[in-house]
Amino acid sequence: MGGQLRERKDQMPVRLSLAYFLVSALWILGSDELVKLLRLDPVGSHLAQTVKGWFFVTITALLLYRILKWWQQEGLRAECALAESESRLRQMADTIREVFWLTDPDKQEVLFVSSAYERLWGRPCQQLYERPQGWLEAIVEEDRDRVRAALPSQIDGSYDLTYRIRTPEGLERWIHDRAFPVVDATGKVVRVAGLACDISRERMAGQALRESEERYRCLVDLSPEGVAIQAKGC
């Protein structure tokens, strides 16, 4: 459905230009022939040309007004549909544990951030609305440049990063952050949406497992005797 709508809008300028050309040509040829058939004197012929010219300008101006009015209404309907969609997203976003966020494509404005941001980042949502780049300041310095360099990839949906943040209390958290573009009916990117979640427990569990395996290998290497592992039941 969206593809058909985009195709119709893409073809609209061509169709309007063609229709205007055909109507203009028919009007000029038809009105000129009508003036000739009337066999008017020079004064009458000049008056007839003036009248048909003004008539043509009036008709085309009215048609142009109707076309622009329709185009404006289509745009308003698209904006309302987008606003309704965003409203549903916001309602759902506040019911999940992950941070759901929505920005403009240029990353100059935070349009929405769910309440989970305050829990994970330890900073108020209002502060992020006022300073859209504020979330970057919480990223630990070693990861910050990598995240900044990856921001343009949010437009094409390839943004998928893991980084560390530090809360105002000094607590460090691992964050998995993903983003994807939101397009309108014409395919233009109008929003960037994302989901960030706390994976600190998974990271710590993985680190603990790796440390345990490392200690076990060290014990095996230091053991003066061979160590054999026998599966249960063998």
Side-chain angles (χ1 to χ4, degrees):
M1 184 71 178
Q4 294 177 351
L5 181 59
R6 286 195 298 272
E7 185 178 355
R8 287 200 299 268
K9 285 193 172 183
D10 290 341
Q11 294 177 354
M12 185 62 68
V14 177
R15 292 179 177 177
L16 288 175
S17 300
L18 181 60
Y20 181 81
F21 173 78
L22 290 176
V23 170
S24 300
L26 290 174
W27 172 258
I28 292 173
L29 294 175
S31 59
D32 285 347
E33 289 299 319
L34 179 61
V35 170
K36 290 178 181 178
L37 290 174
L38 293 175
R39 300 179 182 278
L40 300 173
D41 56 54
V43 176
S45 178
H46 177 74
L47 180 60
Q49 293 290 345
T50 301
V51 170
K52 76 182 185 70
W54 278 108
F55 183 79
F56 178 75
V57 169
T58 303
I59 293 299
T60 52
L62 290 174
L63 289 174
L64 182 60
Y65 170 79
R66 294 298 302 172
I67 291 170
L68 291 177
K69 194 69 176 177
W70 171 85
W71 194 273
Q72 183 184 42
Q73 291 172 348
E74 286 292 307
L76 290 175
R77 275 194 286 267
E79 290 180 5
C80 290
L82 181 61
E84 183 180 354
S85 176
E86 289 181 358
S87 177
R88 288 196 297 267
L89 282 174
R90 292 175 181 180
Q91 292 174 10
M92 292 186 294
D94 280 327
T95 65
I96 61 177
R97 292 178 56 83
E98 293 82 0
V99 178
F100 176 78
W101 52 266
L102 194 68
T103 70
D104 66 305
D106 297 328
K107 311 299 292 180
Q108 298 301 311
E109 182 181 5
V110 174
L111 303 172
F112 176 76
V113 62
S114 65
S115 56
Y117 174 80
E118 298 187 354
R119 177 174 53 83
L120 265 63
W121 260 256
R123 293 166 170 81
C125 293
Q126 186 60 38
Q127 187 180 86
L128 187 61
Y129 288 124
E130 295 171 356
R131 298 175 58 247
Q133 302 299 318
W135 68 279
L136 285 167
E137 298 171 2
I139 300 176
V140 298
E141 190 174 351
E142 293 84 355
D143 296 347
R144 197 176 302 155
D145 289 342
R146 176 170 57 88
V147 175
R148 287 185 186 275
L151 290 181
S153 64
Q154 293 182 353
I155 298 297
D156 59 27
S158 62
Y159 179 87
D160 192 333
L161 288 183
T162 298
Y163 52 83
R164 293 165 294 167
I165 64 171
R166 188 170 288 112
T167 67
E169 294 77 21
L171 180 63
E172 187 172 286
R173 289 192 172 107
W174 281 92
I175 302 295
H176 182 208
D177 197 10
R178 307 180 300 282
F180 54 91
V182 179
V183 301
D184 62 10
T186 66
K188 178 184 177 182
V189 177
V190 293
R191 302 282 190 272
V192 175
L195 204 63
C197 59
D198 185 357
I199 58 170
S200 300
R201 288 185 179 180
E202 293 84 347
R203 296 286 300 201
M204 288 189 292
Q207 181 65 24
L209 178 61
R210 287 191 293 272
E211 291 176 356
S212 176
E213 292 175 346
E214 184 62 28
R215 286 195 297 268
Y216 178 77
R217 280 194 293 268
C218 289
L219 289 174
V220 171
D221 292 339
L222 293 173
S223 176
E225 299 179 358
V227 177
I229 299 176
Q230 183 176 2
K232 184 178 181 181
C234 295

